[in-house]
Amino acid sequence: MYYTTDTATTPFAKIPEGNLTEKWSHFKDKARLIGPNNRKNYHIVVVGTGLSGASAAASLAEQGYRVTTFCFQDSPRRAHSVAAQGGVNAMKNYKNDGDSVFRMFYDTLKGGDFRAREANVYRLAECSASLIDQAVAQGVPFAREYSGYLNNRSFGGVQVSRTFYARGQTGQQLLLGAYQALMRQVHLGRVTAYTRHEMLDLVTENGVAKGIVVRNLDTGEISRHGAHAVVLASGGFGKIYYLSTLAMGCNGSAIWRAHKRGAWASCPSWTQIHPTCLPQSGSHQSKLTLMSESLRNDGRIWTPLTKNDTRPPGAIPEEERDYYLERKYPSYGNLAPRDIASRAAKERIDAGHGVGPLKNAVYLDFKDAIASQGKAAIAKKYGNLFSMYEKITGINAYQQPMMISPAAHFSMGGLWVDYELSSNISGLFVIGEANFSDHGANRLGANSLLQACVDGYYILPQTLPHYLALLGKGTQTDTQSQAFEQCEKEVRTKLTELIQINGSKTVDHFHRELGKILYDKCGLSRNEKGLIAAIEAIRVLREAFYQELKIPQTVNGINEELEKAGRVADYLEIGELMCVDALSREESCGAHFREEYQTSDGEAKRNDRDYAFISCWNRGEKTPVLIKEPLKFAYTEPTERSYK
């Protein structure tokens, strides 16, 4: 058996009493407070300065708390939040097309295949409107209509327009707003910001988070940092697949090191494959390029009806084209949710209808949109995306279709958190993509930036002070304690062990091999036989890693291979848990598609009787331990997730 189950433990989610629409207000009304004059006595460490981390650090510092931030980039502005292109969701109903907080809540819950807490998802929708007003006040240049109103567009999985956008640069513009707020607090002396520093471990004493141990990536210096609370805002681990839409530096090490100190990992197999990515062009690539899902508003996706068709797209007449999303999902068409659109593309490619040099892509065609709206209108909405596509491929997408393909993207799984965004380790909070919350088994497009902002600007600044108030008087954390001493010793030992392997294979070799195993066996589709094979293959690969890895012999100073080695060592453990998690869930839901559990027409077959729970994984002596948090649906009824 690859795991055991703990039936005696039930996670306490701390969901407030009251009606769904009142829970967040009830929490805020009853939360403990700390007086303004006493807030400077409390110190908070924030790991990661992307959109969630920067907004949280700025907001907490604005309240008067002392904050220290850490990021491995040379500036918070280089956080991966900049890569989010298409928009951020919010319930404003500017289009007067029937949107509401409840509809946004239901769309998100349904989009995640009813595998998220109602209370958390409703709060996300409830807080969304405030974000747009705040972002506009910060100077985020959202697109506007001629009248001056902010413009909206649609994203997959919804039938209303609630996505606010700044051309194809929404993440970058929102991050600049958060960055400005953060730098203001740095200038005021309330935030101490460390760049080029990587968290290597979490320090706990008697089950309480007390601080972190970090490494200076320029000098190799190891240092200790104590705090009254630690916030992980370190993003997701989609880069585990090697070829993904994520930047090369993205990793899962911060949350995994916390997991090894006792924090529960939650639903790690729920990793999203994005349908709108540039296809792989060869073995030389180290990452893939994302094209915004917003393109599906006006672009039509199709493949040739004839297998192995080698004609250029312009030579294929309409009657010989298969607009398969419009055919299979007429209600939503090209705006079907990401997991469904990705599987549909894979099905067409696997059936021999793929296009491009490697026959691993489908067409995204703007011919009809340009004919009806004009090239200028399309350029106004997507011009920078078209320019980026032409720069990479040499193809003018105004004249011929783009070629797109599914690629690993977003982690719905992460560390388990309760309603207050606290992990099961007291004093350890987890926000943004680093936690499992809000998205269920599949994230709807444009909800990523929303969750990051809402967690950082609105939720954590309410819930973390409540925790600090319950602690009582703030006392200085002793970084010379035995717990800190032992943690630093273990960090140094691990780095030395990696350096001393002195094999003959690079870190990238092992990362690439792991990515192949996961994409083939735990990617767009999974089955029992493949998952078991993947677990065994990962174990063999991990053993080889610790015998054959080659790293330049230096612990001090800049050593990017050593950085990568630590992250890939964690990936080799995360990857196994991903497969174990997928093996334990004998159903199909959202991004988790088990081939044994599908309807007669190939759609996901969910099992609410046996699997309506959140998987929480604890570390056991020999195997992972599964703890189940039951999901209760008091305000919605889980239904078949149909987009037809």
Side-chain angles (χ1 to χ4, degrees):
M1 192 65 176
Y2 292 100
Y3 66 95
T4 57
T5 303
D6 177 0
T7 57
T9 303
T10 301
F12 180 38
K14 298 182 187 175
I15 298 173
E17 298 294 327
N19 189 275
L20 181 68
T21 61
E22 300 169 346
K23 291 182 184 294
W24 182 228
S25 294
H26 282 180
F27 173 84
K28 291 187 290 184
D29 290 345
K30 297 180 180 180
R32 296 283 297 274
L33 301 176
I34 298 173
N37 292 336
N38 292 326
R39 294 173 190 169
K40 63 181 180 294
N41 298 322
Y42 294 89
H43 181 208
I44 302 163
V45 159
V46 178
V47 180
T49 51
L51 199 46
S52 64
S55 59
S59 300
L60 290 164
E62 183 73 37
Q63 292 178 353
Y65 298 99
R66 291 184 296 117
V67 180
T68 302
T69 65
F70 296 87
C71 69
F72 61 74
Q73 299 94 346
D74 54 9
S75 166
R77 290 178 60 179
R78 292 177 65 86
H80 195 58
S81 300
V82 303
Q85 300 165 334
V88 56
N89 286 335
M91 206 308 291
K92 287 291 213 178
N93 198 29
Y94 282 170
K95 295 289 188 180
N96 196 27
D97 56 0
D99 204 6
S100 67
V101 171
F102 188 88
R103 189 179 297 278
M104 183 175 178
F105 151 72
Y106 185 79
D107 285 344
T108 301
L109 198 64
K110 176 185 175 183
D113 225 347
F114 299 94
R115 289 294 177 261
R117 295 190 200 115
E118 286 184 325
N120 287 61
V121 177
Y122 190 88
R123 179 176 61 185
L124 180 74
E126 181 182 3
C127 293
S128 65
S130 299
L131 169 63
I132 302 304
D133 297 333
Q134 175 161 333
V136 169
Q138 288 178 332
V140 175
F142 286 125
R144 293 180 181 270
E145 296 177 338
Y146 179 76
S147 62
Y149 281 109
L150 297 181
N151 206 351
N152 297 120
R153 56 191 179 200
S154 294
F155 260 56
V158 304
Q159 293 178 310
V160 297
S161 296
R162 66 165 67 103
T163 304
F164 294 77
Y165 62 98
R167 296 190 79 183
Q169 304 172 348
T170 314
Q172 180 179 8
Q173 298 301 330
L174 285 171
L175 183 62
L176 287 174
Y179 172 76
Q180 291 174 126
L182 177 63
M183 288 300 104
R184 177 176 180 271
Q185 297 303 320
V186 171
H187 178 72
L188 293 172
R190 297 173 185 166
V191 172
T192 302
Y194 289 89
T195 59
R196 296 284 296 155
H197 282 70
E198 182 172 25
M199 171 186 160
L200 293 187
D201 215 337
L202 174 75
V203 181
T204 62
E205 293 181 2
N206 301 317
V208 179
K210 292 294 184 179
I212 61 174
V213 173
V214 304
R215 179 175 182 268
N216 184 320
L217 299 182
D218 291 330
T219 67
E221 178 187 1
I222 306 295
S223 57
R224 312 170 186 178
H225 300 267
H228 297 99
V230 175
V231 179
L232 298 187
S234 52
F237 50 87
K239 189 61 183 172
I240 195 170
Y241 288 89
Y242 189 72
L243 285 178
S244 79
T245 65
L246 278 68
M248 288 300 295
C250 293
N251 63 86
S253 287
I255 62 173
W256 191 249
R257 307 292 170 90
H259 172 64
K260 295 175 82 167
R261 293 293 179 185
W264 294 335
S266 188
C267 307
S269 68
W270 290 350
T271 306
Q272 185 172 79
I273 307 296
H274 198 293
T276 318
C277 181
L278 300 194
Q280 181 180 359
S281 59
S283 60
H284 62 281
Q285 287 177 277
S286 58
K287 76 174 298 293
L288 299 173
T289 302
L290 176 68
M291 299 303 294
S292 170
E293 180 181 331
S294 63
L295 294 168
R296 293 201 280 149
N297 272 278
D298 290 300
R300 299 180 69 192
I301 296 173
W302 62 276
T303 58
L305 279 173
T306 305
K307 290 184 178 182
N308 302 313
D309 196 326
T310 58
R311 290 175 293 174
I316 302 175
E318 283 292 318
E319 62 271 16
E320 295 182 31
R321 300 181 178 192
D322 180 14
Y323 294 92
Y324 58 88
L325 288 177
E326 298 172 29
R327 169 173 56 82
K328 296 181 68 175
Y329 309 102
S331 294
Y332 286 76
N334 296 294
L335 287 175
R338 290 177 175 179
D339 58 325
I340 289 174
S342 292
R343 283 198 297 273
K346 182 178 185 295
E347 186 275 327
R348 291 288 80 199
I349 292 169
D350 290 348
H353 298 272
V355 300
L358 301 181
K359 300 297 182 184
N360 61 345
V362 299
Y363 287 127
L364 178 60
D365 197 336
F366 292 87
K367 174 175 63 71
D368 292 346
I370 292 172
S372 62
Q373 302 175 40
K375 179 180 176 180
I378 298 301
K380 184 177 180 181
K381 288 188 281 187
Y382 313 114
N384 63 311
L385 296 171
F386 277 58
S387 297
M388 181 171 69
Y389 183 83
E390 184 170 9
K391 184 175 182 180
I392 294 170
T393 67
I395 296 173
N396 184 334
Y398 295 106
Q399 298 175 358
Q400 58 180 294
M402 292 181 179
M403 287 184 287
I404 58 170
S405 184
H409 182 55
F410 186 91
S411 308
M412 279 78 67
L415 291 187
W416 180 88
V417 292
D418 60 24
Y419 186 78
E420 299 174 15
L421 302 184
S422 170
S423 73
N424 59 299
I425 294 179
S426 183
L428 177 66
F429 291 77
V430 191
I431 61 176
E433 194 180 348
N435 71 31
F436 88 98
S437 183
D438 294 6
H439 305 300
N442 172 65
R443 177 176 67 79
L444 290 185
N447 269 353
S448 173
L449 294 177
L450 174 63
Q451 186 210 351
C453 290
V454 165
D455 283 0
Y457 283 127
Y458 305 127
I459 301 175
L460 193 74
Q462 301 286 340
T463 61
L464 196 153
H466 173 68
Y467 164 79
L468 295 176
L470 293 174
L471 280 183
K473 185 177 180 180
T475 56
Q476 186 70 28
T477 303
D478 180 15
T479 58
Q480 302 304 312
S481 68
Q482 184 177 356
F484 274 91
E485 186 77 30
Q486 180 63 28
C487 188
E488 181 180 336
K489 181 180 178 181
E490 292 174 10
V491 164
R492 292 183 181 276
T493 299
K494 177 70 172 180
L495 292 174
T496 302
E497 287 176 351
L498 290 172
I499 285 286
Q500 291 179 344
I501 295 172
N502 200 27
S504 60
K505 294 181 179 177
T506 66
V507 178
D508 285 345
H509 165 80
F510 293 100
H511 193 176
R512 190 179 290 109
E513 290 300 310
L514 175 63
K516 290 178 182 177
I517 294 169
L518 290 175
Y519 193 82
D520 291 342
K521 308 295 186 184
C522 193
L524 272 167
S525 61
R526 303 98 186 260
N527 59 59
E528 181 181 21
K529 182 179 178 181
L531 290 167
I532 291 173
I535 293 169
E536 297 298 334
I538 291 170
R539 291 177 176 177
V540 171
L541 185 65
R542 187 165 63 242
E543 184 177 347
F545 175 85
Y546 286 104
Q547 294 177 353
E548 301 174 20
L549 177 67
K550 176 68 175 180
I551 300 175
Q553 295 279 342
T554 175
V555 174
N556 298 323
I558 295 175
N559 190 336
E560 293 184 0
E561 291 301 299
L562 180 58
E563 297 168 31
K564 291 194 293 184
R567 297 165 187 170
V568 172
D570 294 330
Y571 275 155
L572 286 164
E573 297 179 359
I574 297 171
E576 181 175 337
L577 186 60
M578 285 173 62
C579 295
V580 171
D581 183 51
L583 186 64
S584 72
R585 191 170 285 273
E586 297 180 352
E587 65 163 352
S588 291
C589 60
H592 170 64
F593 188 79
R594 283 283 296 268
E595 294 169 1
E596 305 96 321
Y597 308 100
Q598 56 181 299
T599 63
S600 58
D601 56 350
E603 300 298 330
K605 191 173 183 180
R606 206 177 62 236
N607 181 349
D608 293 328
R609 185 189 67 182
D610 299 319
Y611 294 97
F613 61 79
I614 297 298
S615 301
C616 309
W617 292 97
N618 201 2
R619 288 180 68 82
E621 291 185 8
K622 295 183 178 180
T623 59
V625 179
L626 174 61
I627 302 169
K628 301 176 182 179
E629 180 198 332
L631 288 170
K632 299 177 181 178
F633 298 96
Y635 302 94
T636 59
E637 181 181 351
T639 57
E640 181 183 353
R641 186 167 167 255
S642 174
Y643 291 90
K644 295 183 176 182

